[in-house]
Amino acid sequence: MVLVWLPIVILLNLSLADGSTPAYTKKELLSQLIRLNDESIPVALSKQSTEKDNAYYGAVFDGDSVVSPIASAGLIQSLMCGYVSRDSKYYQSKELLQRMILAARGLLNLQHDDGTIDLLSTNFHSTPDLGFTIYPLALAYSILLKNNHLTYGELPSLLKEYLLHAGKALTVGGIHTPNHRWVVSGALAWLDTFFPNPMYKARVEQWLAEKIDIDPDGQYNERSTAVYTPITNRGLLDIAKKMKYNYLYDVVRKNLDLTFYLVHSNGEIATESSIRQDKYQRSNMSGYYLAYNYMALLDKNSRYSGMVGYIQNTVPVDQLKYMLPYFLEDPALLQDLPEATPIPTTYHKYFKYSDMVRIREGEVDMSVIAKNTTFFTYFKGEAALEAVRLSSAFFGKGQFESQQLEKEGDTYVLSSTIYGPYYQPLSKEKIPPDTDAWSKVPRSERKQSEVQTLHTRIYVTQSNGKARIKVSLDGPKNLPVTLELGFRLGGTLSNVIQKQGINNAFLIKNGEYTTYQKGNDTIKIGPGVGAHKWTQLRGALPKLQADCLFFTNYAPCEFEFTIE
């Protein structure tokens, strides 16, 4: 069957993108992905070393001209998709076959004697990064096996050699992070489908014996919603499917059920509580397509179908290009989904174990976050208040980070208590006889005196999409306090005063209101507080990379404002 390409339109009006009516069919998506893959191939080939005297002949280089085994594996996957697709202009291309063979040789050259590879930016003889190369290669190898009517030359034997050598490392090598366990285990599950080996399953069972790092809310340990959560779901699904550990489906379900409530009203995924590099980074839901689509088909789940439709309606189609090899390797993924239920757009969820409250009222959503320097966010369509932070000049350690989050009626209370002591001379018996005391005796050995205390409580109450925030600080008299409200760059703040000497920093007069506008959406905040002009307090974190509005005051104090 020849697929006809149809242009796919991404809905810009997110109110129409609840997922109940996908903008295009999966077969239309497949056609588009084949076209996009074709368009990317010339650039991908340009990064491959074709100079025979180059030490990394056949391998792929990154944007900084550093050789990359992971990118080399990715090239083979991309070229394989073009090579086997009848609708690709590269179908059965002899040049692509030669380039895949070249890349496979390059990978074998980069593989160490112990089976590992390097991630040259940080990890050497790395089992986890070896695992990351297995996924594209395993997909490519499986696609090759399922299209065995085509000619592949020595490519199958080269891939087999790399994969078997990798298996030796994956069965003994160590890891760095929680998600690496499931990356390695998922890679071993793939290898076991091609080359059954009891050592592969034994190693997977060693990692699974530690239990999956998911909390009762459904968050994985790293809370990395934009990067490592989709990667973890992928690994767990592969282990479940290929090694028949069916209980792992329940783990993935638990995470997917939570994720419905982590979607901002503008289509982005909430990253505020991540403890990895995606913290505060903007990302959409593209990485979740694989898991929601697979589980919608497996469970005949209409809610998961709704999320698949939502992703198709809100994510640029080129960001789903990673799905092409999955569709080609397993055409069952292209089956029609159950009738979709729209994703939830009105909810109030307190995720106690994840230290987060998520509230949504239509086009408005907000987060209350504990144990985080950003304690509140507020999104309203394109208008985004990406972070609210509080700091004081309290002994250089006054950046507020709540120690606990409690619910009092309809209000959430974030609180902390910190201390600022002074220190007395050491008692004679603690003074070393032969050296200076300050460098040798820890300060904890000294008696404290004149201990100062700062109690901070922040009250957040929501009603119909409007947030009321009360800030209360009980501490030393005349303690400078600053509240920072970081709005997404590219919008416009009205009725504010530019802070001299600092870009994108603004003050407000006492009692005044300001409006932030981006596109057709606005956020109104006030009344403001402006007791001084000091915004970068000693010991506070650097200013956010945002349009920052600062409220200023002196403790002890209490002030209240609304966001709507």
Side-chain angles (χ1 to χ4, degrees):
M1 179 182 67
V2 177
L3 297 175
V4 178
W5 173 71
L6 295 174
I8 292 176
V9 178
I10 302 301
L11 294 182
L12 299 178
N13 185 345
L14 292 176
S15 65
L16 301 176
D18 61 12
S20 58
T21 308
Y24 48 87
T25 68
K26 287 188 189 175
K27 289 181 180 177
E28 290 167 353
L29 173 60
L30 176 62
S31 179
Q32 185 84 321
L33 296 182
I34 291 172
R35 183 184 67 84
L36 288 168
N37 187 64
D38 281 0
E39 291 176 357
S40 71
I41 284 175
V43 174
L45 290 176
S46 71
K47 297 177 181 179
Q48 183 182 31
S49 171
T50 56
E51 300 171 355
K52 292 184 178 180
D53 58 349
N54 190 304
Y56 303 118
Y57 178 52
V60 173
F61 291 81
D62 66 16
D64 293 314
S65 299
V66 176
V67 69
S68 171
I70 295 175
S72 301
L75 176 67
I76 293 172
Q77 175 182 257
S78 178
L79 300 187
M80 181 64 72
C81 289
Y83 186 77
V84 304
S85 297
R86 291 181 181 274
D87 300 302
S88 169
K89 65 182 180 182
Y90 294 103
Y91 180 57
Q92 297 192 71
S93 164
K94 292 181 180 179
E95 180 190 3
L96 257 59
L97 176 57
Q98 290 306 311
R99 289 298 196 101
M100 285 190 283
I101 291 171
L102 193 60
R105 289 174 180 163
L107 263 177
L108 284 167
N109 182 47
L110 293 172
Q111 193 172 31
H112 296 298
D113 291 342
D114 62 2
T116 63
I117 51 92
D118 301 326
L119 177 65
L120 276 71
S121 60
T122 184
N123 297 330
F124 299 86
H125 287 261
S126 170
T127 300
D129 295 295
L130 173 67
F132 282 115
T133 69
I134 299 303
Y135 289 86
L137 292 179
L139 283 164
Y141 192 69
S142 183
I143 291 169
L144 177 155
L145 295 176
K146 292 178 179 182
N147 291 270
N148 57 10
H149 59 285
L150 301 181
T151 300
Y152 298 101
E154 62 178 317
L155 181 62
S157 62
L158 294 172
L159 293 178
K160 181 178 180 179
E161 180 181 352
Y162 181 89
L163 293 171
L164 285 172
H165 200 33
K168 296 177 182 178
L170 293 167
T171 55
V172 297
I175 48 88
H176 288 146
T177 65
N179 77 82
H180 284 168
R181 296 172 298 171
W182 319 131
V183 169
V184 167
S185 296
L188 285 168
W190 268 109
L191 294 185
D192 198 55
T193 63
F194 305 134
F195 322 110
N197 186 330
M199 292 180 63
Y200 296 160
K201 190 164 188 176
R203 186 59 165 179
V204 170
E205 289 182 343
Q206 275 189 288
W207 291 123
L208 288 176
E210 298 184 4
K211 308 229 173 5
I212 310 300
D213 52 306
I214 192 167
D215 69 26
D217 292 328
Q219 277 270 46
Y220 296 116
N221 174 271
E222 296 169 291
R223 302 181 184 179
S224 177
T225 52
V227 179
Y228 294 112
T229 291
I231 284 173
T232 295
N233 284 337
R234 177 189 67 177
L236 295 179
L237 285 176
D238 283 335
I239 302 165
K241 286 185 292 183
K242 300 179 186 308
M243 288 188 161
K244 309 304 180 186
Y245 290 102
N246 291 336
Y247 76 92
L248 295 178
Y249 290 125
D250 287 335
V251 177
V252 175
R253 289 182 187 104
K254 193 171 188 177
N255 177 258
L256 297 183
D257 290 343
L258 164 76
T259 303
F260 281 108
Y261 305 104
L262 300 182
V263 182
H264 287 307
S265 56
N266 64 359
E268 297 174 4
I269 181 76
T271 61
E272 297 93 318
S273 65
S274 173
I275 62 173
R276 295 300 305 273
Q277 68 265 34
D278 57 339
K279 187 181 184 74
Y280 305 137
Q281 297 299 308
R282 298 172 204 165
S283 181
N284 57 36
M285 292 292 296
S286 58
Y288 289 86
Y289 189 100
L290 174 65
Y292 274 112
N293 184 70
Y294 183 85
M295 294 305 297
L297 291 167
L298 180 68
D299 292 352
K300 297 179 173 54
N301 187 304
S302 62
R303 295 178 70 235
Y304 296 164
S305 294
M307 181 59 84
V308 173
Y310 180 83
I311 294 171
Q312 289 187 192
N313 289 355
T314 59
V315 168
V317 69
D318 65 311
Q319 294 182 27
L320 296 176
K321 197 174 71 171
Y322 77 93
M323 284 300 303
L324 177 58
Y326 288 98
F327 288 145
L328 296 178
E329 195 275 334
D330 183 7
L333 295 176
L334 291 165
Q335 292 176 5
D336 292 336
L337 296 175
E339 185 175 350
T341 299
I343 70 166
T345 56
T346 302
Y347 52 80
H348 188 138
K349 295 285 185 178
Y350 179 14
F351 297 112
K352 181 178 180 180
Y353 296 93
S354 300
D355 301 312
M356 175 183 277
V357 178
R358 286 284 300 149
I359 300 168
R360 183 162 178 182
E361 296 283 348
E363 291 306 296
V364 171
D365 77 274
M366 60 191 84
S367 302
V368 182
I369 315 161
K371 301 176 184 177
N372 196 312
T373 55
T374 290
F375 67 84
F376 185 77
T377 70
Y378 187 95
F379 284 67
K380 189 177 182 181
E382 288 188 65
L385 173 56
E386 296 181 305
V388 181
R389 308 193 301 188
L390 179 71
S391 61
S392 69
F394 188 79
F395 294 90
K397 55 183 178 182
Q399 185 73 53
F400 175 74
E401 184 171 340
S402 71
Q403 295 161 346
Q404 62 181 3
L405 170 63
E406 299 173 295
K407 192 173 189 293
E408 298 180 359
D410 295 331
T411 299
Y412 292 95
V413 184
L414 300 146
S415 59
S416 77
T417 300
I418 57 176
Y419 302 94
Y422 292 86
Y423 296 90
Q424 292 293 317
L426 286 168
S427 57
K428 286 185 178 181
E429 63 273 15
K430 293 183 178 180
I431 298 175
D434 55 353
T435 186
D436 73 286
W438 193 264
S439 63
K440 295 298 181 182
V441 181
R443 200 165 59 174
S444 59
E445 294 295 318
R446 298 173 181 268
K447 289 185 177 180
Q448 296 182 359
S449 63
E450 302 87 49
V451 179
Q452 305 299 301
T453 304
L454 176 62
H455 299 288
T456 304
R457 289 172 69 85
I458 298 175
Y459 304 81
V460 181
T461 309
Q462 184 275 152
S463 178
N464 298 320
K466 179 178 180 178
R468 185 174 75 252
I469 298 178
K470 183 170 74 172
V471 179
S472 175
L473 296 101
D474 184 10
K477 187 178 180 180
N478 301 320
L479 173 70
V481 174
T482 294
L483 183 84
E484 179 184 20
L485 301 108
F487 296 90
R488 180 163 295 180
L489 291 170
T492 303
L493 278 166
S494 62
N495 197 31
V496 293
I497 304 164
Q498 173 71 52
K499 165 73 174 174
Q500 295 300 312
I502 304 178
N503 293 330
N504 308 115
F506 306 91
L507 301 168
I508 190 171
K509 293 181 180 179
N510 268 322
E512 293 289 314
Y513 285 78
T514 183
T515 298
Y516 168 81
Q517 181 169 354
K518 195 170 191 300
N520 295 320
D521 300 302
T522 60
I523 298 174
K524 181 181 178 182
I525 295 183
V529 183
H532 59 79
K533 298 180 180 179
W534 190 20
T535 59
Q536 188 60 61
L537 274 57
R538 184 172 178 176
L541 292 172
K543 172 189 168 296
L544 292 162
Q545 293 183 3
D547 284 329
C548 292
L549 174 66
F550 293 93
F551 289 4
T552 60
N553 213 332
Y554 293 98
C557 64
E558 187 173 284
F559 57 95
E560 185 174 322
F561 59 97
T562 60
I563 304 174
E564 60 183 310

